[in-house]
Amino acid sequence: MRRLPIFFLLDVSESMVGEKLAKLEEGLSLVVRELRSDPHALETVYLSVVAFAGAARTVTQLTELGEFNAPELPLGGGTALGRALDHLMREMDRTVARSTPDRKGDWQPLVFLMTDGKPTDDPGQAILRWNAGWGRKASMVAISIGADADLAALVRLTGNVLAFESAQAADITKVVKWISQSIQSRSRSVGTEGPPPMEGITDAGMRRVSLAKDGEVPAPKVDDRHAVIIGQCATRKLPYLMKFDRGEHDIGIRDHKLGQLFHADRYMLADVYPLRKSFFEMSGPDGGTPTIDANLLVGSPPCPHCVAKIGFAICSCGGAHCIEGPGERTCPWCGKLGSYAIAQADDEITVNRGKG
């Protein structure tokens, strides 16, 4: 029987942490539930999930709809779109059956790419390989989540780019329902090639991205609304993520000098998230680590793993980690012993920043 292969290529970078990633996981479960109620989909649809951050990996192999279980998605540092595309193409080479003189292969594969950031690698060569190969044999829909995705890269990859710019993670459910309806539509007309029908994208909170007059879509500005710092528990050697938000913070301080501390050019601690060790695997090879002036970051949480009082100690290597208090401590990043003390306002300290 000929299959209809559906690939989800999902951005699981640091910027997806928290509710956005949770809603994406819930969305995959929703897709499966809705598709299983459709006899055409049950007969033909096979699903695969490929996640990417700094590295890419197949989370779920191409699996028959009736046997598919929505996976728990990993999280990693970076948004290596080029590496993700290369991994996807290898996976499709390996799993999609091609037609031969003796038998019909699978129906045209459908790929849904979802990303919320700018590539941290150079995807140019991978995009060329895609367009010269699977781009002619598969149909891809690229969905940008939020206002910070690199539309310029996406329109080079596919002519089917949809922008979802809602700031509410809960609205991702609307996008997922549209994807489910698109897959059902394709399963009922499996001989049809090209992208799924674009009806309903407005109701799903999306708009179709068209090329600007000069043939390019402007690349996004660097997202400076947030700062993500990856800490490591010195006791359990597990990572955690500290998210700082930039903006006006009206906290009722009348003293002008003290108020300057909370000016909009600084970032206030918004939340801290414990991460699994797989974060390091999904972050891929180090291609240079960005840094940020630690004086711009306000707030220090306790460690979410061992509950050490100070979760934002900074080693001279630039790594953030937890300590119980001042004194000699060993950095879990570089393994060096150092003396830690409370920083002064005029100290020049930089800390390694997440790649997004």
Side-chain angles (χ1 to χ4, degrees):
M1 184 182 68
R2 301 179 72 180
R3 305 176 301 176
L4 174 58
I6 308 293
F7 291 87
F8 291 99
L9 184 60
L10 304 178
D11 178 351
V12 293
S13 58
E14 301 141 321
S15 53
M16 291 291 291
V17 72
E19 191 178 6
K20 279 200 286 189
L21 194 68
K23 289 298 179 183
L24 206 52
E25 290 178 335
E26 291 174 16
L28 286 174
S29 297
L30 176 62
V31 166
V32 173
R33 288 198 303 272
E34 293 198 348
L35 290 179
R36 283 178 178 166
S37 67
D38 187 316
H40 295 92
L42 269 174
E43 186 176 339
T44 58
V45 168
Y46 279 64
L47 301 172
S48 176
V49 177
V50 175
F52 73 97
R57 86 167 190 215
T58 300
V59 181
T60 305
Q61 304 280 350
L62 195 62
T63 303
E64 182 180 356
L65 175 59
E67 302 295 325
F68 181 89
N69 293 310
E72 182 177 5
L73 296 174
L75 193 78
T79 309
L81 179 60
R83 197 169 289 132
L85 290 171
D86 283 335
H87 181 94
L88 173 66
M89 287 184 279
R90 289 193 297 270
E91 192 70 6
M92 294 175 74
D93 286 339
R94 188 178 66 83
T95 61
V96 176
R98 306 193 191 195
S99 294
T100 68
D102 301 322
R103 65 170 186 144
K104 293 284 189 178
D106 290 331
W107 299 110
Q108 183 188 53
L110 187 55
V111 179
F112 290 96
L113 162 63
M114 300 180 72
T115 180
D116 76 336
K118 183 177 181 180
T120 53
D121 64 351
D122 181 359
Q125 291 301 311
I127 290 175
L128 290 175
R129 285 190 289 274
W130 170 266
N131 289 333
W134 277 109
R136 299 178 178 180
K137 295 172 285 188
S139 181
M140 175 183 284
V141 177
I143 301 174
S144 67
I145 302 174
D148 305 310
D150 189 349
L151 299 178
L154 297 183
V155 297
R156 290 163 56 202
L157 180 60
T158 175
N160 310 303
V161 179
L162 303 178
F164 173 71
E165 296 175 347
S166 171
Q168 303 299 318
D171 288 342
I172 292 177
T173 302
K174 298 177 184 177
V175 177
V176 169
K177 286 187 175 181
W178 178 84
I179 290 175
S180 178
Q181 292 165 3
S182 298
I183 296 173
Q184 289 181 63
S185 174
R186 178 54 59 85
S187 71
R188 293 167 189 158
S189 56
V190 286
T192 304
E193 296 195 349
M198 293 295 162
E199 290 87 355
I201 62 171
T202 303
D203 293 338
M206 298 183 289
R207 63 178 176 85
R208 191 160 189 174
V209 176
S210 58
L211 295 176
K213 291 181 180 179
D214 61 356
E216 294 291 339
V217 174
K221 296 179 181 179
V222 175
D223 181 15
D224 63 353
R225 296 175 302 167
H226 314 285
V228 170
I229 308 298
I230 302 302
Q232 187 174 174
C233 176
T235 301
R236 301 181 61 189
K237 305 299 186 291
L238 291 173
Y240 53 93
L241 184 151
M242 294 175 281
K243 184 181 179 184
F244 294 80
D245 289 343
R246 184 177 189 174
E248 298 290 349
H249 302 285
D250 183 10
I251 55 177
I253 295 178
R254 297 182 179 179
D255 183 277
H256 176 68
K257 290 184 177 179
L258 185 58
Q260 284 184 320
L261 178 65
F262 300 95
H263 193 262
D265 66 350
R266 295 180 183 270
Y267 299 79
M268 295 288 291
L269 178 68
D271 214 335
V272 59
Y273 303 90
L275 303 176
R276 298 186 293 272
K277 190 160 282 189
S278 61
F279 176 86
F280 296 125
E281 300 165 9
M282 287 298 297
S283 296
D286 185 13
T289 303
T291 61
I292 187 172
D293 181 353
N295 290 306
L296 298 178
L297 307 175
V298 180
S300 175
C303 176
H305 291 297
C306 71
V307 204
K309 295 178 182 178
I310 302 172
F312 194 14
I314 305 171
C315 175
S316 59
C317 72
H321 61 93
C322 66
I323 60 174
E324 274 296 339
E328 287 195 342
R329 300 286 187 269
T330 299
C331 171
W333 293 102
C334 66
K336 294 181 179 178
L337 182 68
S339 181
Y340 290 77
I342 303 298
Q344 302 303 309
D346 58 350
D347 288 345
E348 295 183 5
I349 303 173
T350 59
V351 62
N352 295 338
R353 181 178 187 171
K355 296 179 181 179

